[in-house]
Amino acid sequence: MEKVTENSSFMYTIWLVLALICLGYYIVCATYAGVGSSFIFIWLLGAVFFGLVIKGIIHVAKVLRICFIVIMATGASLFIFIEALIIKGMMAKPKDNCDYIIVLGCQIRGDHITRSLKNRLDVAVSYAIDNPDTTIIVSGGRGKGENTTEAFAMYNYMVSKGIDGSRIIQEDKSTDTSENMKYSVQYIENTDSLVGIVTNNFHIARSRLLARHAGLNNTCGMPAESDHVLFINYMVREAIGIVKDFVFGNF
């Protein structure tokens, strides 16, 4: 009985620590980026899950506790594997003389680009200057709270940095990464062309998988810097995104 009590106390401590970590990170993200910031609600749900729901697991039958632990361990192993793929993608090195680069859009506020999108565009501008024969595809439609398409905002930014507008193709229909690839590939005559994918570092792995599914056979990643405070949030969101795309047959 004493051993069972000790085990229960240990499990409770683990769940409590996880709940506090989730709650603390939610507060940090909400303070930094606002409560409406993309996906941060998951941390609040995590705090509730670990702090309230899991507490009841300690007191149920042993067989149920074992089943729950097996499920959690399996999920954790899958999560670690996916995060390893994401980290590998983050370490990608751009290749010189790409035939095309696809710059993936993300939310703009009104007509103004966000910091994440600026990071992507700065990478694209630098590459375009060093590789003057590369054609640039800026990819992104118009979403809620946006006065123009993301593609047009990206086009304007790159032109303002000295890139010849005739080199830039605007793909302005897509609403997510899968559509970025689906619609951008229509502007690429040869699917064996070398295509660079420009996006934030955590997003490279999934973007290249989606590009391959869209028919592009020869891609390289061009990672841009991510927000340091929201980085953990992005990494978890991306892992869930990979699972979602796998389930829906996007890979």
Side-chain angles (χ1 to χ4, degrees), residues 18-19 22-23 26 39-54 240:
L18 290 173
C22 289
L23 180 60
Y26 172 78
F39 199 72
I40 65 169
F41 69 89
I42 195 70
W43 300 100
L44 191 58
L45 292 179
V48 173
F49 180 72
F50 288 119
L52 299 178
V53 179
I54 301 300
I240 294 173

Side-chain angles (χ1 to χ4, degrees), residues 137-150:
I137 301 173
V138 289
S139 178
R142 180 180 175 183
K144 184 179 180 181
E146 299 177 339
N147 294 338
T148 185
T149 65
E150 294 165 8

